[in-house]
């Protein structure tokens, strides 16, 4: 196939998905994969640190020892606002999704910050027997399964 044929095919593909009314292409699950993959990886790391945060809060530390508690509220608020304005949908579903994301990732962030302080003070908790690698691996699998379930719910709603 010649270069001009390739150019014609790519131009035809690009023009097929454009809505004549507003120039926007409706979003699909496939479009969310980059954002979803980023949230999955960040979620996995936060989940691993949150595990150590849970160990810290149920053990030697109290919640708010690493960072004053009002800053955790600020994290919840920022996540809510970012997700609400980044959402492709409008209305009640966008608000529910923003609340759910803010609570989930805000909670993970709060425990992850506490876990980071705990690991800073007692690194042997993660280094002994390479426990940190195991915790990170399990956390990434859990985060990937959660995202996979989310995509399954989205696709079943069509």
């Amino acid at each position: 196939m010649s270069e001009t044929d390739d150019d014609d095919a790519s131009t035809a593909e690009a023009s097929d998905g454009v809505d004549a009314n507003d120039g926007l292409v409706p979003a699909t699950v496939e479009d969310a994969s980059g954002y979803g993959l980023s949230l999955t990886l960040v979620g996995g790391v936060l989940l691993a640190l949150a595990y150590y945060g849970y160990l810290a809060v149920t053990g030697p530390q109290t919640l708010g020892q690493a960072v004053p508690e009002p800053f955790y509220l600020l994290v919840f608020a920022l996540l809510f606002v970012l997700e609400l304005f980044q959402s492709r949908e409008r209305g009640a579903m966008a608000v529910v999704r923003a609340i759910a994301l803010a609570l989930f990732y805000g909670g993970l962030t709060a425990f992850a910050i506490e876990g980071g302080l705990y690991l800073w003070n007692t690194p042997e908790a993660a280094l002994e027997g390479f426990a940190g690698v195991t915790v990170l691996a399990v956390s990434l699998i859990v985060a990937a399964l959660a995202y996979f379930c989310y995509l399954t719910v989205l696709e079943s709603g069509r």
Side-chain angles (χ1 to χ4, degrees), residues 29 36 40 141-155:
V29 172
T40 300
I141 290 170
V142 168
L145 286 173
Y147 183 61
F148 180 79
C149 290
Y150 171 74
L151 288 179
T152 303
V153 168
L154 280 183
E155 287 178 354

Side-chain angles (χ1 to χ4, degrees), residues 33-114:
S33 63
Y35 178 67
L37 181 60
S38 299
L39 281 180
T40 300
L41 294 176
V42 168
V45 171
L46 285 176
L47 191 59
L49 286 171
Y51 168 75
Y52 289 107
Y54 173 77
L55 292 179
V57 170
T58 59
Q61 291 178 204
T62 60
L63 189 63
Q65 187 172 338
V67 175
E69 290 175 3
F71 286 100
Y72 292 139
L73 182 60
L74 180 62
V75 168
F76 282 94
L78 288 173
L79 287 170
F80 175 78
V81 169
L82 286 173
E83 180 58 28
L84 187 63
F85 288 116
Q86 191 265 337
S87 179
R88 290 180 217 98
E89 299 177 14
R90 298 289 178 249
M93 193 58 179
V95 173
V96 168
R97 180 181 163 157
I99 289 170
L101 187 124
L103 289 175
F104 181 74
Y105 280 98
L108 277 180
T109 302
F111 278 102
I113 291 170
E114 296 294 333

